[in-house]
Amino acid sequence: MDENQNTLQSALELHQEGSLDQAEPAYRKLLAVDPNNMQVRFLLGTCLLQLNRYDESISILEPLTEQPSAGPDVFNNLGIAYRATGNLEAAVSTFQQAIKSNPEYSQAYFNLGELLETGNALKEAAQCYRKALELTPTDHQAGAAFARVLTRMKNWADAENIYRQILSADPQNEEYLVQLAFVLASSKRVEEALEIYQDILSRKPDFAEIMGSVCYLYEKLGQFSEARRYAKQALDIKPDYAEGWNNLGSVALAEHQPDEAIQNFKKAAELVPELSIAHYNVATTQLLQEKYEAGWTGYEYRLNLTPTRFPQYAEGNWRGEAITGKRLVIIADQGFGDTIQFSRFLKRAKEMSQADITFLCHEPLVSLLAPSLKEVGPVVATIDNEPSFDYQLPLCSLPGLLGIHQPDKISQSGYVELPGSASVEVTTLVRELDTGLKKVGLVWRGNPEQDRDQLRSCPLEKLKPLFNLSGIQWVNLQIDEQSRTDLESLQSPARFLHAGHLVNDFRDTGWLLKQLDLVLSVDTAVAHLAGALGLPVWTMLCHTPDWRWRLTGEESTWYPQMRLIRQPAWSDWDSVIAQIAQELPTA
């Protein structure tokens, strides 16, 4: 073995044992003798990469990619260096070149998947992770990444399958067990998730974070004494556990103890000031109590809780000053119901700002809101072709900026004007309404993707007593076809007119609502729409509703003609339906 081979062997041994600072000069000594040695150049570039000297690594590896013999390892390591320097476009391209060089090179698929996941290209990331796992089925890192991105996509069934595959080889892995429990809880299999957490606690009884998760699930089940017990145990073990204080606050709020809840949420925020959910919970509990001045300030923390960055169309945010002639875009930053509710403040924003306002909102709301806001400015679903803006503001920040500190400062209902006509489908449907019967529109469930939907939606079978009432024509306003099948499966004597599948947007829905005698809805956008139109609406609420409905009373601050019908106890829809069944015939 000659001297160069000895030096290379020594350098490789140093490299493999992690002595990178010693391996580097050995590689450079070899290159001084043989500058064109591609193997040594690759090893040096890799060594520099592992030393976090990314620019130097790139300068060594880049020329190697031009060689016909360049293999996937060269492209893969160069891609890692590009990613570390923030050159993400080059990193994506280089990982793709690695795959092209060897379509069965699993590590490149994994690295490309990580990069795509970071950029929220979840579908593409999932495809990469899936391929990496197919190529190396025993790679638990690839499996966990695939399950993670499936979880982010809310593909609960596939995420569960992947986690169970991983756990079959490593059944006591706490990280994967916790993730599986989260997936089960998210797919409404709370009891199964609890079993996993309890199993972990049987082995680690002082695991405060798991106790916090158990508390959260018991609270969702309405078992507040158990939830409170686990929250307190977690805090006994770990008094500085901010999430534990936040959990205890949620339990107190569910028990209708808002002052205690605020105290606990504030404790969590003091322990971890960057815990945005704790600040947000303080704010929404204050809003629930109609302490608007304090609540609107903390309500801004909602913007930290969105999974994606809030869009930027202007350099600065509007602060409430007069900006005569400037271009201001106000952006709907939450769901349909929130947008309808908060759109009442846009005219005041126009008066205060004196700006040229564009309102950016969801496509299905444009035709509904545009007539009412013609004096404010255009209502659009996209702004791709718009000129640049001078200022921007999230819609739900308006009441704080406008100083809406007292309930009497909230504008009354009836602030949305409908166009004179609806779609042909809806106008045709209206001809089927029976003028001799009381016409009641019905919404019993909301968007299942909404975090609180399991609480706010009423199981259809609970409504059966209403369908035995005579003299009523029910109009199904659910937009999904499944609702029709579900109603027909009840085999009730009620008369149903199925409307939801015919409406094209909220203008159609609003026009239909005006033809009815009453709207009966859980807490959904349809309830907000009826309220904004000034129509009679009864809103069925869970025991601890969203902040805008307060904790007590039948009247709504936001919609004076709306009647609130509340669960007297957790999950008690039977009492709600019994009250409606008694009063609806004479309403």
Side-chain angles (χ1 to χ4, degrees):
M1 185 179 292
D2 62 25
E3 182 179 351
N4 285 345
Q5 289 176 320
N6 285 331
T7 303
L8 177 58
Q9 183 63 36
S10 298
L12 284 170
E13 290 174 0
L14 290 168
H15 196 159
Q16 290 168 355
E17 69 185 28
S19 301
L20 303 178
D21 289 332
Q22 298 175 54
E24 179 199 351
Y27 289 139
R28 291 193 184 277
K29 180 179 177 181
L30 287 166
L31 286 175
V33 176
D34 184 5
N36 296 319
N37 189 314
M38 297 299 103
Q39 179 192 11
V40 176
R41 280 190 170 274
F42 170 71
L43 291 169
L44 175 59
T46 303
C47 181
L48 293 168
L49 175 64
Q50 293 170 313
L51 286 166
N52 299 331
R53 289 156 60 182
Y54 303 116
D55 289 331
E56 294 177 70
S57 177
I58 290 170
S59 70
I60 296 294
L61 294 174
E62 267 185 345
L64 298 183
T65 63
E66 300 172 5
Q67 299 297 318
S69 60
D73 286 332
V74 174
F75 292 107
N76 185 66
N77 288 3
L78 180 58
I80 294 171
Y82 280 140
R83 181 176 62 187
T85 60
N87 191 345
L88 303 185
E89 184 177 350
V92 168
S93 176
T94 309
F95 288 137
Q96 290 170 337
Q97 286 179 288
I99 292 168
K100 184 178 180 181
S101 172
N102 180 358
E104 296 188 355
Y105 189 69
S106 63
Q107 190 60 46
Y109 285 104
F110 179 83
N111 289 336
L112 180 57
E114 279 194 321
L115 202 57
L116 292 168
E117 183 184 0
T118 301
N120 286 313
L122 301 183
K123 181 179 179 181
E124 294 79 3
Q127 291 171 346
C128 289
Y129 289 142
R130 182 192 299 274
K131 185 64 177 179
L133 190 59
E134 287 175 358
L135 292 169
T136 53
T138 59
D139 185 350
H140 292 177
Q141 184 183 26
F146 186 27
R148 180 181 66 241
V149 79
L150 289 170
T151 300
R152 291 184 62 187
M153 296 168 67
K154 299 185 178 181
N155 185 343
W156 309 123
D158 287 345
E160 177 189 351
N161 288 337
I162 298 298
Y163 279 126
R164 290 197 185 279
Q165 288 175 25
I166 300 171
L167 286 164
S168 65
D170 188 7
Q172 302 299 315
N173 187 299
E174 289 174 3
E175 178 185 354
Y176 301 148
L177 284 169
V178 168
Q179 293 302 321
L180 174 60
F182 175 82
V183 168
L184 293 171
S186 299
S187 52
K188 302 179 181 180
R189 292 157 63 186
V190 175
E191 289 81 1
E192 293 177 66
L194 278 171
E195 286 181 13
I196 293 175
Y197 288 140
Q198 296 289 11
D199 179 61
I200 295 173
L201 287 175
S202 70
R203 297 190 300 275
K204 288 191 172 182
D206 292 338
F207 201 152
E209 287 78 8
I210 296 298
M211 288 181 180
S213 297
V214 173
C215 162
Y216 173 81
L217 293 183
Y218 274 127
E219 187 245 318
K220 294 306 175 190
L221 289 171
Q223 298 182 29
F224 303 128
S225 60
E226 283 296 283
R228 184 177 284 274
R229 180 169 71 87
Y230 275 95
K232 288 189 170 181
Q233 283 183 4
L235 292 170
D236 287 342
I237 294 166
K238 192 175 180 180
D240 60 350
Y241 179 35
E243 288 83 356
W245 287 103
N246 188 66
N247 288 337
L248 189 57
S250 296
V251 174
L253 184 58
E255 294 177 322
H256 287 204
Q257 301 295 328
D259 291 334
E260 180 194 342
I262 288 175
Q263 182 180 354
N264 292 329
F265 293 142
K266 285 184 174 180
K267 178 68 174 179
E270 290 169 4
L271 287 167
V272 181
E274 63 272 20
L275 188 63
S276 295
I277 186 63
H279 294 280
Y280 175 77
N281 285 339
V282 170
T284 52
T285 308
Q286 290 168 331
L287 293 174
L288 181 77
Q289 296 176 309
E290 297 194 323
K291 297 178 179 178
Y292 291 125
E293 185 171 5
W296 294 131
T297 300
Y299 196 54
E300 293 301 291
Y301 278 95
R302 75 189 185 281
L303 300 173
N304 296 344
L305 301 175
T306 55
T308 56
R309 184 174 178 270
F310 193 73
Q312 286 294 124
Y313 298 106
E315 288 295 326
N317 289 333
W318 180 48
R319 303 296 182 186
E321 73 276 23
I323 49 174
T324 306
K326 297 293 185 180
R327 290 183 54 80
L328 168 63
V329 58
I330 297 178
I331 305 161
D333 60 293
Q334 299 205 59
F336 294 137
D338 301 85
T339 301
I340 293 169
Q341 177 187 359
F342 284 81
S343 67
R344 72 184 71 209
F345 298 119
L346 286 165
K347 291 182 180 178
R348 297 194 208 181
K350 176 71 172 181
E351 294 169 0
M352 180 179 286
S353 69
Q354 294 298 302
D356 295 329
I357 292 179
T358 296
F359 180 43
L360 175 64
C361 71
H362 319 78
E363 176 69 36
L365 289 171
V366 171
S367 61
L368 169 74
L369 297 177
S372 305
L373 299 174
K374 55 184 177 292
E375 296 177 3
V376 173
V379 179
V380 300
T382 62
I383 58 173
D384 297 340
N385 299 320
E386 290 283 338
S388 61
F389 294 94
D390 301 299
Y391 299 91
Q392 70 176 47
L393 188 77
L395 173 67
C396 295
S397 296
L398 273 178
L401 200 63
L402 296 172
I404 308 299
H405 296 159
Q406 298 297 329
D408 60 7
K409 296 293 184 181
I410 296 172
S411 62
Q412 301 300 295
S413 57
Y415 54 87
V416 171
E417 306 169 14
L418 279 177
S421 63
S423 66
V424 173
E425 293 89 347
V426 171
T427 53
T428 301
L429 177 76
V430 166
R431 299 192 188 106
E432 299 183 40
L433 293 173
D434 191 330
T435 56
L437 298 175
K438 182 176 294 183
K439 298 172 287 296
V440 180
L442 179 63
V443 180
W444 66 90
R445 64 176 176 233
N447 180 356
E449 299 300 318
Q450 207 256 20
D451 289 341
R452 291 177 53 86
D453 188 62
Q454 189 173 3
L455 299 178
R456 66 173 178 170
S457 292
C458 177
L460 180 58
E461 59 271 16
K462 296 289 186 181
L463 298 172
K464 289 179 70 173
L466 300 182
F467 302 146
N468 293 324
L469 300 174
S470 60
I472 296 176
Q473 182 179 33
W474 294 96
V475 180
N476 172 20
L477 298 172
Q478 302 284 161
I479 61 174
D480 58 294
E481 281 292 333
Q482 183 61 41
S483 66
R484 180 174 190 152
T485 302
D486 292 344
L487 282 170
E488 291 172 350
S489 69
L490 291 178
Q491 298 181 341
S492 79
R495 294 182 56 186
F496 296 108
L497 189 62
H498 301 283
H501 67 291
L502 295 176
V503 301
N504 297 305
D505 54 22
F506 278 92
R507 179 198 64 169
D508 276 358
T509 304
W511 201 84
L512 177 59
L513 297 187
K514 289 202 74 167
Q515 320 307 315
L516 305 178
D517 298 305
L518 178 68
V519 176
L520 180 63
S521 176
V522 293
D523 179 9
T524 66
V526 171
H528 285 278
L529 176 57
L533 292 168
L535 302 175
V537 52
W538 291 2
T539 302
M540 301 178 285
L541 297 176
C542 64
H543 185 56
T544 305
D546 196 53
W547 62 263
R548 67 206 79 215
W549 309 123
R550 306 193 313 271
L551 282 177
T552 58
E554 289 193 350
E555 295 182 352
S556 166
T557 300
W558 295 87
Y559 306 109
Q561 88 295 351
M562 177 183 285
R563 184 180 179 192
L564 305 176
I565 303 178
R566 304 174 182 275
Q567 288 181 350
W570 197 261
S571 298
D572 183 6
W573 287 114
D574 291 334
S575 295
V576 170
I577 302 307
Q579 181 181 352
I580 294 171
Q582 181 179 1
E583 300 180 18
L584 185 57
T586 58

